Amino acid sequence: MIVEHLKSTTVITQEKKTISELVIEVNKIYETISSNNIIINLFSLDTAKASDLKEFSLLSQQHRGAKHSFVIVNKAVNLDEVSEELIVVPTLIEAHDLIGMEEIERDLGF
């Protein structure tokens, strides 16, 4: 797992861990990154399915409930099958763009 801090966003990149292992690792460091927006970069998982990403649901709900963005990056997942609890985009650029839009919405009180 690679953790990068970019301004108010933390990007966590999966290397060799399974999604289950990654969720456990993210939960371990969550307190230290909880004030940042979070991007979970799963670009290396080219066979991921929407059902695989459900393991992030609780963490996503918790983080979004605290008024921070939580975005998963994966281009293999069929976005139509992803639960409404998760935000999944195909590229890191789109993840950063989405976070920028959500920050503007929060600043405006939406």
Side-chain angles (χ1 to χ4, degrees):
M1 171 172 87
I2 299 170
V3 179
E4 298 174 87
H5 301 284
L6 310 166
K7 296 183 184 178
S8 64
T9 301
T10 299
V11 179
I12 299 171
T13 303
Q14 182 272 8
E15 286 186 302
K16 298 178 182 174
K17 296 187 181 298
T18 66
I19 289 178
S20 297
E21 292 170 331
L22 185 61
V23 170
I24 291 168
E25 292 298 315
V26 171
N27 278 313
K28 286 180 184 177
I29 66 166
Y30 182 73
E31 192 170 312
T32 63
I33 62 172
S34 63
S35 62
N36 289 346
N37 299 303
I38 298 174
I39 297 174
I40 304 292
N41 188 355
L42 303 176
F43 72 92
S44 64
L45 295 179
D46 55 1
T47 60
K49 296 182 179 115
S51 59
D52 298 332
L53 302 183
K54 285 186 180 181
E55 295 192 49
F56 285 106
S57 293
L58 185 60
L59 190 57
S60 175
Q61 288 175 0
Q62 175 185 356
H63 201 64
R64 295 177 63 73
K67 304 291 185 201
H68 298 289
S69 299
F70 188 94
V71 183
I72 299 171
V73 176
N74 185 271
K75 63 182 177 187
V77 173
N78 182 343
L79 299 179
D80 293 330
E81 296 175 0
V82 174
S83 166
E84 291 180 15
E85 300 166 345
L86 298 173
I87 296 176
V88 181
V89 296
T91 68
L92 273 172
I93 292 171
E94 289 176 88
H96 287 286
D97 289 347
L98 180 73
I99 287 172
M101 288 187 296
E102 287 184 346
E103 285 180 334
I104 291 169
E105 288 175 356
R106 285 191 289 268
D107 288 346
L108 294 173
F110 292 104

